[in-house]
């Protein structure tokens, strides 16, 4: 149970202050400011303990959000709540910054009243909250609406209201994956994993039940060999998911027993599931860096980028970041494709390529001139890794959507009447090669 | 409802004023304040009977904020009614209000029978009411165990678990962690019913589930199939938490540290996940390093050492020191790898010291001291490496850099004490070197 919640701007001035418990005093507001926001060192921990009081904070944009308690509270719950609260505020008024907080403080205090009762988090779903807490003040509702609101806030299906109608029933599925790689200097994969999510936009009428199927190894193996006896083929066609987590609308017990993803979707945009795979990842790019220290004042860097996917597909928004030492005086760059620039402020060479097809290779060479500083002052430069950003139109994990069926018994539309769109977006997460 | 919004905010401001007035010394002020309170109480009481459930709930919630002793007695009747209200929103707010009341006046809660009413709410049809009732009960029980959680309660909670919001699930799971099952079968049943929660998107739900499972695994037979399967299920969700926001990563890592100490088999295959990323915040890096050392074993020590070597080249001073100490710890922990660890340490110290001597550049003095001491410890604990360590230490003395020589001499003295007969000659040599060097 959270004792108090405070929001500060980057200077440490209090924007919002709400105390739920007697044991948290106004001194805590100042204590946090002095000891964390204005501390000389950088932040060493998101949890600070002072005088038997615990301060949990997150920083979003230039706003500090801090939850205070004197009890032995569930730490993960506090951070999840702070994140969720920040998301809810963003859903109401956009970016979380000092100006928006000040302009909407009445709304924020109302939200805090509703979603944190006596320090216990209640329903934080923005869709539901918007039905009765709005920026124009808490709106009046008719008797039927009242009953609907309360049953939604407390109900089993707290994420969707009854009576939604659309002329066109449509579903948009985005499979968005972030592929993360840490490669050693010698080209060995130290660690690689794909963190993916399935984001849905559903515009469906009524209270439809949906069933979602993917080419997940366990489901395929569970149904027995599907015709082919070639294990290699079966392997390529399926993806081994290490772990997955679902939106609260998915019936978890059904997933546990039958491995079926069955749910009544919220209306509009939401994230259906998150998953992680570590095996059989198709790494879209291979980066080969070569660094040579020619002399005390000169360094030569050559980076080769190879694309490793079907030639017919195109990768976009490719950016390669080559870090440079802080005492760089000048850089000469040669690259055949794209544009490269040395950014002194970021201590990096940034090479941007708009588009690159599959099974291609590009290269950049750089000559870096270093300032020879006096003998007294020279810290050895620990070479940060070369990192890459990109976007590819396929899922590097190999995940494919097999089906998405919609059943609405009461209304007169069937699964065939629903227009469905699927797209795959593979993005770089932390894609680093040590050099 | 704009009216009631105004109503709420003024009440809050007024309450503070009323409180000071009621507690003031002047009789006149006190009388006025009491009159004011009674007036607003009447309005408040009426609001508890308003046809709009949102207003009824708002009234209950606000009344719970009045923390003036004399008034709280008047709260009991309306609160009692609201706990049996037809609307679940009102009931769930009333449940929390009992906890508020208990905070102000615990005896009142016990005397007026709210404990039983709260217990009844555990059987409520609405899962959010159940969840809030559990939260209130858990808090009340912390001060004085008034309500016992028995098997029937547990079953009700497990049923509500499936249908609650994520926060309700956290309250229920945390309450379950305080329950001690009677026997193995009960423990196994609870495990089965809560393990689907490991797939929830909310990290708090996942961690609370892990906590309960870890406690229950204790009660189950060590080598059973069930336990083996359960352990396999536990690792992936915890690893997924490490891709969340850094604060959640931190909480997860602190928990994983404890779990790894208790049951290292859960995460022993997942060393790579704990490799430090360049952009991790410092608090995440320090925790990951700790866990890496705990998970280090003969099969993965080569990987670990090459990572630790990279970390020793980082910028943050605390982190570098921890990495160096980690190499020493690994050497002592995994004896077969001691040679390799010592080699890594010696390479590191050589590079750093060379840098000092040749480049006359700035190097973290403390790092060098720690590295030298680590070499000393290795030499003392691992006999086969002692000779190489001594050779390096002698080289270090030759560098004639003050603090390096200081540390090296102290360490050599300790080594000599441990192996008095082996290195006599070397000891004389080094003292001669000292004398000659004029240090």
């Amino acid at each position: 149970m959270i004792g108090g919640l405070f929001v500060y701007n980057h200077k440490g001035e209090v924007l919002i202050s709400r105390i739920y418990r007697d044991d948290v005093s106004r001194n805590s507001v100042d204590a946090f400011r002095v000891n964390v926001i204005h501390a000389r060192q950088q932040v060493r921990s998101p949890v600070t303990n002072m005088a038997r009081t615990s301060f949990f904070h997150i920083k979003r944009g230039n706003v500090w959000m801090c939850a205070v308690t004197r009890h032995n509270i569930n730490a993960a719950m506090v951070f999840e709540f702070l994140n969720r609260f920040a998301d809810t505020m963003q859903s109401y008024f956009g970016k979380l910054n000092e100006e928006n907080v000040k302009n909407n403080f009445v709304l924020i205090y109302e939200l805090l009243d509703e979603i944190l009762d006596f320090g216990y988090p209640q329903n934080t779903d923005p869709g539901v909250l918007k039905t009765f807490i709005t920026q124009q003040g808490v709106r009046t509702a008719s008797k039927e609406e009242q009953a609907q609101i309360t049953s939604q806030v407390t109900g089993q299906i707290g994420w969707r209201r009854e009576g939604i109608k659309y002329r066109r029933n449509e579903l948009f599925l985005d499979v968005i994956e972030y592929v993360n790689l840490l490669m050693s200097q010698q080209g060995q994969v130290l660690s690689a994993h794909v963190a993916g999510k399935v984001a849905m936009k559903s515009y469906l009428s009524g209270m439809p039940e949906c069933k979602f199927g993917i080419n997940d190894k366990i489901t395929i193996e569970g149904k027995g060999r599907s015709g082919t006896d070639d294990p290699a083929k079966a392997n390529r066609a399926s993806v081994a998911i290490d772990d997955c987590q679902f939106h609260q609308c998915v019936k978890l017990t059904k997933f546990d027993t039958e491995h079926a993803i069955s749910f009544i979707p919220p209306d509009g945009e939401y994230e259906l599931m998150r998953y992680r795979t570590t095996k059989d990842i198709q790494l879209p790019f291979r980066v080969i860096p070569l660094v040579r220290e020619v002399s005390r004042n000169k360094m030569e860097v050559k980076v080769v980028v190879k694309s490793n996917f079907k030639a017919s597909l195109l990768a976009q928004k490719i950016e390669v970041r080559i870090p440079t030492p802080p005492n760089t005086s000048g850089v000469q760059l040669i690259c055949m494709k794209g544009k490269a620039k040395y950014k002194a402020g970021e201590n990096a060479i940034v090479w941007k390529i708009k588009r690159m097809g599959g099974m291609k290779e590009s290269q950049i060479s750089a000559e870096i001139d270093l300032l020879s500083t006096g003998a007294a002052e020279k810290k050895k430069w620990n070479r940060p890794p070369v990192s890459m950003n990109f976007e590819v139109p396929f899922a590097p994990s190999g995940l494919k959507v097999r089906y998405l069926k919609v059943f609405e018994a009461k209304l007169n539309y069937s699964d065939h009447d629903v227009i469905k769109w699927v797209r795959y977006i593979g993005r770089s997460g932390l894609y680093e090669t040590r050099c | 409802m704009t009216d009631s919004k105004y109503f709420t905010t003024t009440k809050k401001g007024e309450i503070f004023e009323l409180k000071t007035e009621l507690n003031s010394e002047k009789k006149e002020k006190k009388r006025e304040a009491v009159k004011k309170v009674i007036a607003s109480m009447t309005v408040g009481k009426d609001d508890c009977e308003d046809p709009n459930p949102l207003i009824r709930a708002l009234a209950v919630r606000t009344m719970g904020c009045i923390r003036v002793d004399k008034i709280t007695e008047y709260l009991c009747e309306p609160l009692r009614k609201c706990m049996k209200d037809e609307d679940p929103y009102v009931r769930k707010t009333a449940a929390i209000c009992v906890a508020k009341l208990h905070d102000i006046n615990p005896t009142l809660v016990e005397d007026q029978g709210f404990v039983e009413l709260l217990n009844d709410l555990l059987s409520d049809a609405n899962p959010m009411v159940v969840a809030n009732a559990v939260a209130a009960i858990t808090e009340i029980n912390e001060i004085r165990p008034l309500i016992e959680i028995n098997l029937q309660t547990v079953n009700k909670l497990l049923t509500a678990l499936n249908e609650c919001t994520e926060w309700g699930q956290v309250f229920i799971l945390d309450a379950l962690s305080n329950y001690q099952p009677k026997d193995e079968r009960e423990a196994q049943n609870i495990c089965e019913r809560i393990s689907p929660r490991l797939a929830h998107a909310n990290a708090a739900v996942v961690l609370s589930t892990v906590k309960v499972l870890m406690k229950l695994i204790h009660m189950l037979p060590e080598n059973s199939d069930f336990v083996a399967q359960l352990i396999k299920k536990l690792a992936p969700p915890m690893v997924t938490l490490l891709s969340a926001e850094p604060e959640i990563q931190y909480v997860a890592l602190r928990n994983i540290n404890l779990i790894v100490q208790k049951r290292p088999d859960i995460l022993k295959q997942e060393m790579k996940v704990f490799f430090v990323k360049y952009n991790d915040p410092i608090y995440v890096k320090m925790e990951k390093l700790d866990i890496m050392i705990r998970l280090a074993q003969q099969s993965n020590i080569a990987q670990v050492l090459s990572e630790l070597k990279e970390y020793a080249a980082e910028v943050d001073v605390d982190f570098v020191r921890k990495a160096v100490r980690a190499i020493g710890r690994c050497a002592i922990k995994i004896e077969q790898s001691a040679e390799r660890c010592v080699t890594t340490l010696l390479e590191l110290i050589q590079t750093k010291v060379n840098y000092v001597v040749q480049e006359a550049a700035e190097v973290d003095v403390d790092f060098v001291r720690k590295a030298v001491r680590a070499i000393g410890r290795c030499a003392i604990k691992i006999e086969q490496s002692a000779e190489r360590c001594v050779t390096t230490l002698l080289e270090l003395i030759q560098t004639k850099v003050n603090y390096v020589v200081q540390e090296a001499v102290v360490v050599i003295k300790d080594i000599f004490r441990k192996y008095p007969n082996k290195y006599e000659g070397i000891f004389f040599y080094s003292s001669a070197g000292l004398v000659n060097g004029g240090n």
Side-chain angles (χ1 to χ4, degrees), chain B residues 401-415:
Chain B
V401 180
N402 263 340
Y403 62 88
V404 176
V405 175
Q406 266 177 2
E407 288 295 333
V409 168
V410 169
V411 168
I412 281 202
K413 196 174 56 149
D414 288 334
I415 297 180

Side-chain angles (χ1 to χ4, degrees), chain A residues 183-392:
Chain A
M183 192 171 255
S184 78
Q185 204 175 354
Q186 292 78 25
Q188 192 201 12
V189 174
L190 290 173
S191 78
H193 75 272
V194 168
K197 62 181 176 182
V198 176
M200 273 181 79
K201 294 184 210 161
S202 62
Y203 305 110
L204 300 168
S205 320
M207 297 291 261
E209 276 244 9
C210 297
K211 257 193 126 162
F212 182 57
I214 49 179
N215 62 337
D216 149 37
K217 218 177 205 151
I218 304 180
T219 350
I220 292 190
E221 274 172 16
K223 299 204 169 114
R225 290 286 148 114
S226 44
T228 110
D229 278 320
D230 180 4
K233 194 161 183 215
N235 273 347
R236 251 183 288 129
S238 64
V239 60
I241 291 190
D242 284 3
D243 182 43
C244 51
Q245 288 164 328
F246 299 100
H247 187 275
Q248 54 173 338
C249 68
V250 175
K251 302 190 174 77
L252 290 176
T253 28
K254 233 181 170 182
F255 181 72
D256 202 51
T257 46
E258 308 164 6
H259 227 83
I261 305 171
S262 150
F263 57 99
I264 296 181
D267 188 42
E269 272 186 67
Y270 61 96
E271 194 181 282
L272 175 66
M273 70 185 269
R274 281 194 183 216
Y275 58 91
R276 188 171 48 86
T277 57
T278 46
K279 303 190 193 67
D280 296 329
I281 298 174
Q282 188 186 5
L283 297 166
F285 287 96
R286 171 100 155 80
V287 176
I288 308 168
L290 243 151
V291 177
R292 209 159 63 96
E293 291 185 22
V294 176
S295 69
R296 276 254 237 130
N297 300 352
K298 212 173 175 133
M299 223 167 87
E300 269 180 20
V301 175
K302 192 167 91 154
V303 175
V304 176
V305 169
K306 289 193 187 161
S307 60
N308 185 15
F309 45 86
K310 271 203 284 202
S312 56
L313 297 171
L314 270 177
Q316 295 192 10
K317 302 185 195 160
I318 301 159
E319 185 184 287
V320 179
R321 235 160 204 278
I322 305 163
T324 56
N327 59 334
T328 303
S329 63
V331 178
Q332 285 91 39
L333 298 163
I334 306 173
C335 65
M336 296 269 87
K337 286 215 197 84
K339 297 202 188 101
K341 238 196 274 182
Y342 166 61
K343 295 206 172 151
E346 298 167 30
N347 280 325
I349 299 169
V350 179
W351 179 26
K352 292 195 182 160
I353 307 174
K354 277 220 179 108
R355 265 180 289 273
M356 186 166 174
M359 305 319 271
K360 288 223 168 66
E361 195 178 300
S362 287
Q363 175 180 302
I364 181 174
S365 358
E367 264 180 31
I368 303 178
D369 300 316
L370 304 166
L371 284 170
S372 52
T373 51
E377 181 223 276
K378 191 168 172 214
K379 264 202 164 128
K380 186 163 187 283
W381 180 54
N382 61 322
R383 293 192 209 145
V386 174
S387 64
M388 212 181 145
N389 283 322
F390 54 80
E391 202 177 281
V392 289

Side-chain angles (χ1 to χ4, degrees), chain A residues 21 80 84 110 114 120 243, chain B residues 5 89 139 166 203 240:
Chain A
R21 299 268 173 149
E80 281 283 16
R84 209 58 59 82
E110 273 170 27
E114 179 61 39
Y120 290 103
D243 182 43
Chain B
K5 182 188 78 169
Y89 186 69
E139 186 166 345
E166 47 199 345
T240 309

Side-chain angles (χ1 to χ4, degrees), chain B residues 370-394:
Chain B
K370 286 248 157 53
V372 174
R373 275 182 230 155
I375 294 177
R377 260 178 266 135
C378 287
I380 291 176
K381 293 232 161 127
I382 306 157
E383 220 182 307
Q384 314 97 295
S385 63
E387 185 161 340
R388 273 195 303 155
C389 292
V390 173
T391 325
T392 314
L393 288 167
L394 288 174

Side-chain angles (χ1 to χ4, degrees), chain B residues 103-117:
Chain B
D103 202 34
I104 308 170
N105 193 337
T107 16
L108 189 64
V109 167
E110 289 175 54
D111 292 341
Q112 295 281 330
F114 281 110
V115 174
E116 288 77 34
L117 284 175

